[in-house]
Amino acid sequence: MYYNIVLSKKGMDISYIINELGEERERYFSAVAPPIIQTSNFASSTVEDLRQKMLHEPEATLYTRGNNPTVTMLEIKIAALEGAEHAIAFGSGMAAVSAAVLSQVRAGDHVVSVKKPYSWTNALMRQFLPRFGVEVSMVDGTLADQYRQAIRPNTKVLYLESPNSYTFELQDIEAVVAIAKEYGLITIIDNSFASPINQNPLAMGVDMVLHSATKYIGGHSDTMGGIVCGSREMINRTFASEFMTLGAVLSPHDAWLLLRGLRTLPVRMARVAETTRHVVAWLERHAKVERVLFPFLPSHPQYELAQKQLRNNTGQFSILLKTDDIQKVELFCNSLQHFLMAASWGGHESLIFPIAASYASGKLKPTLPFNLVRFYVGLEDADYLIRDIEQALDKI
C-alpha cells in the first residue's frame, strides 16, 4: 500500500526516492549499493577551487564534518520523504533535537514544549536550556489551546512530539501550527514515532521535522543517527552554526547503514503495523491488563486525531498491568522469552522497557507508574509474540 504514496511536492514516488534519488551510479562503476566515501578530507585542484569550496561550504565537499557524499545521499532521500527542501544528518537523534532547538533560541527566549517527550529531550528542556537563560514551559499538549495559554512575549518555539513517548498522547499538529503562525513562532516536531512513511508534519505547516534515524530509518539496531528537515534557509543557517560548531556529525559508514535500512522501510513499517494490531487487540481483552495505551484503538480518546494525522499505526504501545505489586511487574517482564528488555525501538527485534526499572529504593519516584511497560513490536510473527506474552502473564 505504501509504494504508491506520493510524498513530495515534485510528485516523486516513494519507490523512486528510496531506490534512485540522489544516486548517480555512473559515477561509481554502476554499483547497485552506494559507496562509503570513508574520508575526512577532500582535495582541491587549485587555490580558486579551494576558495569556492570555502565560500559555499553548505553545498561543497571540503571536509567531512561539513559534507560527505554518502551522508548527502541520505539527506537528499529523507528530505524528499518528508517533502522538505533540505536536511542535515547528525550522529544521533538527540544531536538532531538539540541542534534544531538551539538553532532557534538565545538567552532570554522562551520555549513551549510538550510535557512528556523523549527522556533526553526532557533533560534538554528542563535542565540544559535553563542553564543558558532559555525558559521552558511544559504543557500536556492534548489540547492545542494549552500551547496558546503558555505563550509569552519572549516565546520563540513550540516543540511537539506526536505521539509522544511512553504514553503516546497526540498533539493536533495543524491546530498548533495555526497558533504558531498567529504569533510568529517556529514549530519543531520529533517525528520518530511515525517515521516519514506514516506522517509528514511539514505538509501540515510545521517548520522543522526531526528524526532519530537510529529507530525505523536504520531498522537493524546496528547504528545511530539523527536528521533535521526543513526549508533550505533554515537548514543552511543551522549548518553554518550549530552543526559545524558542535560537530555531532554522522559518519559515512553509519550513513551507509542508514541508507541500507531505508531500502526496506516501507515493507518493514507495513509488517510492524499489522503485527502490532494483532498483539494490541489480544492484550486489550486480557483480564490482567488494566489498559493499553495505543492511539489506533477505537477506545483511545484521540483515536480520530490519530486517524487524521497518521497514515497507519506503528509498533510502539504501552500497557498498564492490573497490579499494585512491583514484584509482579518485574516477574512478568523477566518471564518474557522473546522480547528483549532494552531501550530504543525500530529494529527487527521486539522489545520491552519497564518503567519499574526507573524505580529505586530511597529515590524520588518517576512520574510514570511502575506498572507501565512500553512495548515495541518488531518483525516476528504475531502469534509467536502473543504466546510469549500469555505465558508471562500467566505467572503473575
Side-chain angles (χ1 to χ4, degrees), residues 66-368:
N67 284 309
N68 175 281
T70 310
V71 179
T72 297
M73 192 182 301
L74 175 70
E75 292 168 341
I76 289 170
K77 289 179 182 293
I78 302 296
L81 287 174
E82 282 290 8
E85 291 180 351
H86 204 11
I88 310 177
F90 292 83
S92 71
M94 266 316 300
V97 172
S98 300
V101 174
L102 291 172
S103 72
Q104 301 303 317
V105 296
R106 61 181 62 188
D109 288 344
H110 175 242
V111 174
V112 183
S113 170
V114 66
K115 183 179 289 184
K116 292 185 286 185
Y118 172 62
S119 57
W120 287 103
T121 303
N122 191 55
L124 173 73
M125 298 295 180
R126 294 185 182 272
Q127 301 170 27
F128 190 87
L129 290 180
R131 284 171 50 195
F132 297 94
V134 178
E135 300 175 298
V136 180
S137 297
M138 312 289 279
V139 298
D140 176 81
T142 51
L143 299 174
D145 201 52
Q146 292 164 339
Y147 277 91
R148 183 191 297 277
Q149 292 171 9
I151 291 172
R152 304 174 184 173
N154 60 335
T155 303
K156 292 294 187 293
V157 171
L158 304 185
Y159 186 87
L160 303 87
E161 182 181 303
S162 183
N164 60 308
S165 298
Y166 294 108
T167 50
F168 310 119
E169 291 94 351
L170 289 82
Q171 299 100 63
D172 187 327
I173 297 171
E174 290 182 338
V176 175
V177 165
I179 293 169
K181 292 188 182 303
E182 180 183 341
Y183 288 87
L185 308 178
I186 297 296
T187 45
I188 302 173
I189 189 170
D190 185 338
N191 198 34
S192 303
F193 173 98
S195 88
I197 298 297
N198 287 325
Q199 184 170 264
N200 298 120
L202 288 175
M204 303 179 213
V206 171
D207 295 298
M208 301 181 84
V209 174
L210 62 92
H211 289 273
S212 171
T214 308
K215 311 295 195 295
Y216 284 125
I217 291 170
H220 292 75
S221 300
D222 57 7
T223 190
M224 300 186 75
I227 196 151
V228 178
C229 306
S231 69
R232 185 164 296 276
E233 187 275 330
M234 293 184 81
I235 296 300
N236 281 349
R237 185 149 45 87
T238 305
F239 176 95
S241 182
E242 288 73 20
F243 178 72
M244 290 295 288
T245 303
L246 300 178
V249 300
L250 183 69
S251 76
H253 184 256
D254 288 329
W256 184 86
L257 288 170
L258 293 172
L259 284 165
R260 181 199 61 179
L262 200 61
R263 305 293 197 195
T264 59
L265 181 61
V267 292
R268 285 189 289 107
M269 296 307 295
R271 166 77 173 191
V272 164
E274 182 180 4
T275 305
T276 301
R277 288 194 296 272
H278 287 294
V279 174
V280 163
W282 184 87
L283 278 164
E284 194 181 31
R285 297 190 298 267
H286 201 284
K288 293 183 180 179
V289 176
E290 179 183 321
R291 186 181 172 197
V292 181
L293 306 176
F294 183 63
F296 273 75
L297 280 174
S299 58
H300 192 278
Q302 293 182 294
Y303 175 73
E304 291 184 4
L305 181 59
Q307 295 286 311
K308 173 188 172 185
Q309 292 186 167
L310 292 152
R311 295 189 185 93
N312 204 351
N313 68 277
T314 60
Q316 304 95 283
F317 64 90
S318 294
I319 65 170
L320 290 164
L321 289 168
K322 194 176 291 184
T323 180
D324 57 4
D325 185 345
I326 194 170
Q327 292 184 340
K328 287 188 176 181
V329 175
E330 292 186 19
L331 176 60
F332 166 74
C333 295
N334 293 340
S335 298
L336 289 167
Q337 299 171 3
H338 304 307
F339 285 82
L340 299 178
M341 197 180 305
S344 197
W345 39 265
H348 53 82
E349 72 291 342
S350 291
L351 304 170
I352 61 161
F353 188 89
I355 294 300
S358 302
Y359 280 67
S361 178
K363 293 186 178 180
L364 183 67
K365 291 184 178 181
T367 57
L368 295 172

